[in-house]
Amino acid sequence: MIVAEFKRVFDIAPSVTGFTPGRVNLIGEHTDYNGGNVLPTALDLGVTLALAPREDGLIRIWSDKFDGIAERKMTDAASDHWSDYIAGALQLARSEGFGPDGANIAVTTTLPFGAGISSSAAVTVGVIRAAAGLSDNSLTDTDIAVLARRVENEYIGMPCGIMDQMAVAIAKPGQALSLDTKYLEFGLVNLPETHHMAVIHSGVFRQLNEGRYKIRKEECDAVKAALGHDDLCLMTDAEFASLAHLAAPLRRRAKHCMTEHRRTVAATVALQKGEMAAFGVLMNESHISMRDDFEMSVQPVDALVADAQKFGATGARLTGGGFGGCIVACIEKEKLGAWRTALLDAHPDAFWVC
Ligand code: GLA
């Protein structure tokens, strides 16, 4: 399908094709730039791309979601355009010595944009992996994820952590990636057959680069300065007590980072043991922490999470960067149909993602 589209648009065959999934984070929010753990899983939905190299400094991009062909130069700065992620990824691959000097690229996606399920990480990881596939090199999945994060941080200007890129580069659907973001050590945990990790959009759209994510990051930086080290998530109870002089919102941010990391570690153990009731309680507690301490939720999301829990989910919480976007709920498969109908009926603005 992608090969046929590519040939139709560019009149030649692609040199490389690939699929990169989206991700949903089960628990561990805003811990990935604070030295903590995360537990995302890959989705069935994702981005498929095909690429053929060019050597004239041009990038020509066709997408099933936008009209026409976007044309960019390998020297272009970011311009707040959907093609920025592709241009930035190719430029970085080139400057790292393995990518071509331009490309024809076709992209199809089943990931809704702006939903907070990492369409941008899927695109940047996909492009860097495709560019790497053109030459002999020893890039690992972790190397590709680290480069993809650099595209966000340095080219796009989004100060994200490493979770999304690692999740989409490494995890497969049905597996959670237990990732230590300080050392980039990870393990894969199979999700239970008995439960579904449902992703539901709240209907509140937000863009991470609109600023609130950055404000939270800066607040965490202020706590790090007071603490004297960067591993906010790993602080001890005594260290947390030593922050009593900080303003109350900063202490709440610190508390979320410390407790969210501990919950994530506990949730990973619960998942490994198949203790889903315990896992669900940790998800619910995570939502309270995001709502009250990190203050990254909004009312429609809180209402959706509350009903998801009330209507029978094992656990439910806001997921991703926050301030809107999706919730993730762990629901027994035998309850899924009735639960989904009741929840969506009660929240007409919300919609099912997967
Ligand atoms: C976004 C960022 C991630 C992470 C989450 C919050 O998805 O891209 O790096 O910080 O928000 O957990």
Side-chain angles (χ1 to χ4, degrees), residues 4 39 74 76 87 91 224 268 291 303:
L39 192 66
M74 285 294 279
D76 278 353
Q91 289 180 19
K224 289 175 189 178
T268 304
R291 185 191 66 195

Side-chain angles (χ1 to χ4, degrees), residues 23 28-30 32-33 158 160-161 163-164 208 213 320-321:
R23 70 94 186 91
E29 231 62 78
H30 287 263
D32 69 340
Y33 53 90
M158 159 61 188
C160 66
M163 166 171 71
D164 305 345
L208 288 179
Y213 184 98

Side-chain angles (χ1 to χ4, degrees), residues 179-210:
L179 173 67
D180 170 338
T181 65
K182 180 169 161 67
Y183 295 108
L184 298 188
E185 285 169 359
F186 60 86
L188 291 164
V189 187
N190 287 331
L191 298 178
E193 296 288 335
T194 47
H195 289 69
H196 179 66
M197 299 297 175
V199 184
I200 299 159
H201 198 286
S202 62
V204 181
F205 284 84
R206 88 289 173 263
Q207 283 195 311
L208 288 179
N209 55 9
E210 77 190 4

